[in-house]
Amino acid sequence: MGLEENFTASANQARGFTKRPPDADCLEVYALYKQATVGDTNTAKPSGGELLSKWNAWNSKKGMTQKQAKEQYIAKVAALAPKYA
């Protein structure tokens, strides 16, 4: 499988987790997914709450290529899967 297929398979696997990973891992997976699919943050910084946490996590990936983000996303999901799938 190529990178795109592996990325899609990993995204489907993450959506199918039966247990919720810790918040830090969820934010990392979210940030890598957004960077892989959208690129650098393209919205204004929210004022607070969960949206701010997600935005900060995503913004921490600023400058990372979408290819790098996909590779890291695949690796992160693979690391989480044995415990949370």
Side-chain angles (χ1 to χ4, degrees):
M1 270 197 287
L3 180 62
E4 290 300 322
E5 292 84 6
N6 284 334
F7 178 74
T8 300
S10 293
N12 289 334
Q13 184 177 28
R15 283 186 207 103
F17 282 179
T18 57
K19 298 176 197 161
R20 181 177 166 84
D23 287 345
D25 288 324
C26 288
L27 284 172
E28 180 73 8
V29 167
Y30 171 83
L32 289 168
Y33 184 86
K34 290 295 280 187
Q35 190 68 22
T37 58
V38 177
D40 290 343
T41 51
N42 60 0
T43 59
K45 185 176 183 177
S47 59
E50 182 181 344
L51 289 178
L52 178 60
S53 296
K54 286 181 167 184
W55 190 92
N56 283 334
W58 179 16
N59 196 52
S60 74
K61 306 301 178 195
K62 190 173 187 172
M64 179 184 287
T65 68
Q66 288 181 299
K67 180 179 185 275
Q68 289 171 321
K70 286 177 183 177
E71 291 168 345
Q72 288 186 27
Y73 179 88
I74 292 164
K76 183 68 176 180
V77 170
L80 294 172
K83 194 170 183 180
Y84 300 103

